[in-house]
Amino acid sequence: MRSRSPRGGPDPQHPASQYARDYKKAVAVRLADTAREAGAADPEQLGEQLALLLDGAAARTRVLDADAFPTAAAIAAVLIDHAIPATAGDDRRREEVAS
């Protein structure tokens, strides 16, 4: 039987709830650290966005029994492109690819 809070949901003080919360926070922090290293304008926001995207893709994959990660990867690319300013070198590479 699952431990329940007085409101009927999972008990936030249960060790499993605490572990899940700590793990999810650590994933968002690691993603924010990576975003910071990549030069994101707001690395904490990008980290949270990507963490939420991962959670959603994992949930849809489980519930729908269909791989949601390719779509999540495409969305992540858009988020990253908007969060990390392009450099002159990036512009040249894009021009080379387009040619």
Side-chain angles (χ1 to χ4, degrees):
M1 180 182 209
R2 295 173 100 180
S3 179
R4 295 283 179 191
S5 73
R7 295 179 306 209
D11 179 1
Q13 300 308 315
H14 189 276
S17 294
Q18 292 175 351
Y19 177 83
R21 188 172 40 254
D22 291 346
Y23 176 78
K24 289 185 179 293
K25 286 180 181 179
V27 168
V29 166
R30 178 65 183 116
L31 290 168
D33 289 346
T34 301
R36 186 174 298 100
E37 292 169 10
D42 189 344
E44 283 73 25
Q45 180 182 26
L46 181 57
E48 286 295 326
Q49 289 170 335
L50 294 173
L52 179 61
L53 183 59
L54 274 169
D55 283 346
R60 287 186 64 83
T61 295
R62 278 190 308 273
V63 171
L64 300 177
D65 194 26
D67 188 5
F69 288 100
T71 301
I75 295 167
V78 172
L79 290 171
I80 292 165
D81 283 348
H82 286 284
I84 300 174
T87 64
D90 290 338
D91 292 338
R92 273 187 256 122
R93 273 186 257 137
R94 286 188 185 120
E95 289 172 8
E96 291 171 3
V97 170
S99 298

